[in-house]
Amino acid sequence: MVNEPGKTMNKDNESGITRRKFILSAIIVAILGSFASLLSLLKVLAPAKKGGGYVSTISPGDTLVYASGSNIGATLRASSMNPGDAVLVYPKGKSSNPANLVQLIRLQESSFKAPTDVKLTDKGFVAYSAICTHLGCTVSWVKNEKSPDASYTECFCHNSIFNPSRGDKVEGGPAPIPLAQIGVKVSSDDSLVFTSNFNGKIGPQV
Amino acid sequence: MLNWLDERLELKKFKEKFLSKTFPTHPSFLIGEIALFSFITLVITGIFLGLLYEPSTKMVSLFGAMVPAAYASVVRIDLLPMGMLIRRIHHWSAMIMIAAILAHLMRVYFTGAYRKPREINWFIGLGLFGISLFAAFTGYLLPYSNFSVTATSIGYYIAKSVPWIGNWISTLLFAGDFPSTATVPRFFFLHVMFIPLVLASLIGLHMVILVKQKHTEPAGNLKKKESQNGKRLIGIPIWPEQAVISTAFYFFLLFLVILIATYIPLNPIETYGPPASGTPVMRPDWYFLIVYGFLKLIPGDLSFSILGGKITPETIGGVLFPSFLILVFALIPLLDRSKEPQNYIVNPLHRPFMTSFGITGGVFLSMLVVSGYIDVLKIAPRTMLVYVILASAAAWVVSYTLLRFYNRDKDGGKHV
């Protein structure tokens, strides 16, 4: 049916819709609809998460190797470290996952206090996740030459300080939780192996 | 030649309408131009760098070592004749541009130039400030050094710490997890295409509105104009006077930037090397020190949940605090409820509240920059927090008392 122009403009039209109103709402719906359909692009631009976050793939029995320095990738020798020393290590062959980065520390055997899990330490060796729980930087070792047991772990990004003889609990700065501990032991050939998984959450707590 | 163009483009009309706009002659009105000119320098040097940069993280051989392709391409740029200089000019111009935006913002704030009818340009200016910071942030990643990756990773976890929608925002912005192979191409596109286009459009809008509304002018001009029965604004026209001044000023700035860039290096890529497992001792560029310093002050045990959203120290320092700053800046023109258009500069000394508020804010933000150095200064975060509060309070008391005293003195003079 073809409407005569005069009739459609008539306000007494039964439906109460004028041509102007109809076109205006059509334009509004078209604009809103096209923008709304574009929103699906946001889904495309944000790819699906693969696992996500820091998930460690360390398994008990993995050998510790250097993660930095000149002998990167070489097996770590227990005798090369004195109390007060610390190094960054990876489990052998699993260096591509940053969640596996561990800080191995040697202190005096007598210096560990709660909440350190002493069962996870061996001959003064203690290991913690090296990924700061604040914003994911790698922590560093601040060595005290005079009294090695007063050395501590610090994240140089925002100066969070962790106490290695007390289970790496947060002694200062913005880190929300301690660095998780992981078990290590010295094997007969002077190398070190992992004996457990992390005992807590690792990576930034966001 | 000119006639030929004029017949077709009506240049004379354009000159009458647009090029005769008057500029105030006070040098503080040139601060905004520093930002604009730095942007131009950034675009020119950016084109050079963009032609040579490779936005990829695939490992390639560089002098026998395997490094990401992006890192290798930046090292190669550094080795080109003048390559390193161009990179430094680019980096220094970014630092100067943001400083100029801030100085320009302070000029507008203290002289009350944000008041009706100029609120729109204040908001656009804030947008330009925020987008410039975003441009700087995306630029951090591109050299893909250990510094770049650490800094971007911090930004990634701050984005992730947004309550409720953090995961979605971070995957959208960083094209998935960080570090991953998708982030560099996305940041490259944002840094060289998307953000510059948005910036250029907003700068254009900022200036069109400026031409339409004209500058604010010194209050003294009001009397002058009344006596001369004169024009709207006293100053010099865009063409030819202001154009000559601006051109000369641009080349002077370019000279200064090249001089600085020649002698002062900024985070040389070789200092940090390609991404490695250790995090270097590093500080962001100056404009991020405010948030960086604030992040250091928040105690780690300050986290809680509301309605399923997790508020952590990162959320407070990296999300809530910057949003709060933006909100305060955005509210400033809305606080001023003048009905009449305000076209004259106010003397900051005659506005005790607003001026002391600005000074206090400046002291507060500067103290946060100092907080970025607590590791060097050997101050505990809690002690520093007390210093920040004390310094801000002192700034308020001193400036407000002095300004009230200054103004009462004037009023007293009238009565006596």
Side-chain angles (χ1 to χ4, degrees):
Chain A
M1 192 186 98
V2 180
N3 283 328
E4 285 170 54
K7 274 198 175 168
T8 35
M9 291 298 283
N10 189 350
K11 278 188 182 165
D12 298 332
N13 193 320
E14 274 171 37
S15 63
I17 297 174
T18 60
R19 178 184 297 203
R20 176 187 290 266
K21 261 190 189 165
F22 177 78
I23 291 178
L24 191 66
S25 13
I27 290 172
I28 290 170
V29 168
I31 291 174
L32 289 181
S34 46
F35 274 102
S37 65
L38 283 177
L39 285 179
S40 60
L41 283 180
L42 293 179
K43 187 77 190 161
V44 179
L45 290 173
K49 286 187 65 78
K50 293 164 244 146
Y54 279 93
V55 181
S56 155
T57 48
I58 300 177
S59 39
D62 285 345
T63 311
L64 278 68
V65 297
Y66 286 100
S68 60
S70 53
N71 39 10
I72 182 166
T75 306
L76 183 85
R77 298 291 158 199
S79 53
S80 68
M81 286 177 69
N82 298 314
D85 287 346
V87 287
L88 289 176
V89 293
Y90 269 125
K92 196 172 190 172
K94 294 177 181 174
S95 64
S96 59
N97 181 354
N100 290 347
L101 191 63
V102 166
Q103 188 183 40
L104 179 75
I105 301 162
R106 186 167 198 181
L107 298 171
Q108 304 287 354
E109 258 181 278
S110 56
S111 57
F112 294 115
K113 297 181 189 78
T116 316
D117 190 343
V118 184
K119 288 194 298 281
L120 299 181
T121 69
D122 185 26
K123 298 194 171 71
F125 283 100
V126 64
Y128 297 102
S129 166
I131 307 298
C132 183
T133 53
H134 179 225
L135 286 166
C137 299
T138 306
V139 295
S140 301
W141 182 244
V142 183
K143 189 173 176 180
N144 189 326
E145 298 286 353
K146 281 179 197 153
S147 54
D149 278 7
S151 308
Y152 57 90
T153 297
E154 178 171 353
C155 176
F156 287 149
C157 279
H158 301 95
N159 308 113
S160 292
I161 291 167
F162 304 91
N163 184 343
S165 58
R166 286 181 179 275
D168 256 358
K169 88 178 174 82
V170 185
E171 302 251 299
I177 60 166
L179 297 168
Q181 196 185 344
I182 186 166
V184 282
K185 79 164 198 271
V186 181
S187 40
S188 51
D189 65 346
D190 199 32
S191 69
L192 283 119
V193 292
F194 288 109
T195 58
S196 74
N197 289 312
F198 287 110
N199 69 351
K201 290 185 196 164
I202 58 166
Q205 297 305 303
V206 292
Chain B
M1 177 69 185
L2 267 177
N3 271 335
W4 187 88
L5 280 174
D6 185 39
E7 277 165 25
R8 280 149 189 89
L9 299 172
E10 300 189 317
L11 289 180
K12 284 203 180 96
K13 263 192 188 167
F14 177 73
K15 181 171 183 274
E16 274 163 28
K17 259 197 106 116
F18 177 74
L19 293 181
S20 60
K21 180 208 167 340
T22 41
F23 258 72
T25 46
H26 194 276
S28 72
F29 285 87
L30 286 177
I31 297 172
E33 289 196 13
I34 300 179
L36 174 67
F37 293 155
S38 303
F39 179 69
I40 294 171
T41 309
L42 278 165
V43 169
I44 295 168
T45 50
I47 290 171
F48 174 85
L49 297 170
L51 290 171
L52 296 162
Y53 174 75
E54 184 181 349
S56 158
T57 52
K58 72 168 190 285
M59 300 302 268
V60 297
S61 171
L62 177 79
F63 307 127
M66 293 306 280
V67 296
Y71 179 86
S73 70
V74 174
V75 171
R76 282 195 206 97
I77 291 174
D78 275 357
L79 294 174
L80 289 173
M82 309 289 264
M84 189 186 276
L85 182 66
I86 300 280
R87 246 171 37 81
R88 284 194 198 163
I89 294 172
H90 193 75
H91 197 159
W92 270 110
S93 296
M95 309 259 279
I96 292 168
M97 175 172 167
I98 293 170
I101 294 177
L102 209 60
H104 176 66
L105 183 144
M106 279 161 67
R107 196 270 291 168
V108 170
Y109 175 83
F110 284 114
T111 62
Y114 57 83
R115 294 171 303 166
K116 189 181 175 178
R118 292 179 180 76
E119 302 99 320
I120 303 171
N121 248 3
W122 172 266
F123 295 135
I124 294 175
L126 283 184
L128 282 168
F129 184 47
I131 295 165
S132 304
L133 290 178
F134 188 49
F137 176 70
T138 50
Y140 269 41
L141 177 66
L142 300 184
Y144 219 71
S145 65
N146 203 9
F147 180 100
S148 311
V149 173
T150 309
T152 310
S153 174
I154 291 175
Y156 172 70
Y157 284 107
I158 287 175
K160 244 176 123 87
S161 75
V162 178
W164 302 292
I165 50 168
N167 274 332
W168 182 74
I169 286 187
S170 59
T171 39
L172 183 67
L173 199 58
F174 294 78
D177 289 332
F178 184 82
S180 76
T181 50
T183 313
V184 166
R186 179 157 300 184
F187 270 36
F188 179 65
F189 175 75
L190 289 174
H191 187 78
V192 306
M193 280 296 290
F194 186 73
I195 298 170
L197 279 180
V198 174
L199 276 180
S201 327
L202 282 182
I203 291 172
L205 194 59
H206 202 64
M207 308 231 310
V208 167
I209 292 178
L210 166 74
V211 170
K212 177 84 183 82
Q213 294 184 330
K214 303 184 176 63
H215 282 87
T216 50
E217 53 182 328
N221 284 7
L222 185 62
K223 274 182 197 152
K224 248 191 241 171
K225 280 193 292 192
E226 272 170 0
S227 63
Q228 293 171 358
N229 203 9
K231 296 177 296 182
R232 177 76 172 68
L233 189 73
I234 297 175
I236 50 176
I238 291 189
W239 185 265
E241 281 93 335
Q242 184 61 36
V244 172
I245 290 175
S246 293
T247 315
F249 188 52
Y250 177 61
F251 285 105
F252 178 69
L253 278 175
L254 197 60
F255 148 72
L256 278 184
V257 173
I258 295 175
L259 189 71
I260 296 169
T262 307
Y263 290 104
I264 311 176
L266 279 171
N267 299 339
I269 185 166
E270 301 82 5
T271 316
Y272 296 99
S277 48
T279 293
V281 182
M282 47 173 263
R283 250 169 271 281
D285 283 345
W286 74 267
Y287 38 84
F288 284 136
L289 285 174
I290 292 168
V291 170
Y292 170 79
F294 192 75
L295 273 169
K296 286 191 174 191
L297 294 185
I298 309 162
D301 44 16
L302 204 70
S303 50
F304 52 92
S305 307
I306 28 165
L307 301 171
K310 211 164 138 199
I311 309 286
T312 58
E314 301 92 281
T315 321
I316 297 166
V319 182
L320 296 180
F321 173 65
S323 317
F324 170 75
L325 286 185
I326 294 166
L327 189 71
V328 170
F329 277 120
L331 283 178
I332 286 170
L334 303 179
L335 288 178
D336 191 272
R337 275 185 244 141
S338 40
K339 292 249 165 56
E340 296 299 310
Q342 308 289 319
N343 289 319
Y344 293 92
I345 288 173
V346 279
N347 185 343
L349 295 175
H350 294 158
R351 294 204 309 166
F353 182 83
M354 290 310 273
T355 301
S356 326
F357 183 71
I359 292 173
T360 308
V363 168
F364 173 65
L365 296 180
S366 311
M367 285 302 281
L368 288 182
V369 170
V370 176
S371 310
Y373 290 86
I374 48 174
D375 51 323
V376 181
L377 301 169
K378 307 233 177 292
I379 304 173
R382 269 154 222 255
T383 323
M384 190 63 212
L385 193 61
V386 175
Y387 289 161
V388 172
I389 294 168
L390 282 182
S392 310
W396 171 264
V397 171
V398 171
S399 54
Y400 193 66
T401 316
L402 283 179
L403 285 171
R404 284 306 287 260
F405 180 73
Y406 174 84
N407 285 305
R408 199 190 55 174
D409 204 38
K410 272 194 143 182
D411 293 344
K414 262 185 222 162
H415 292 299
V416 173

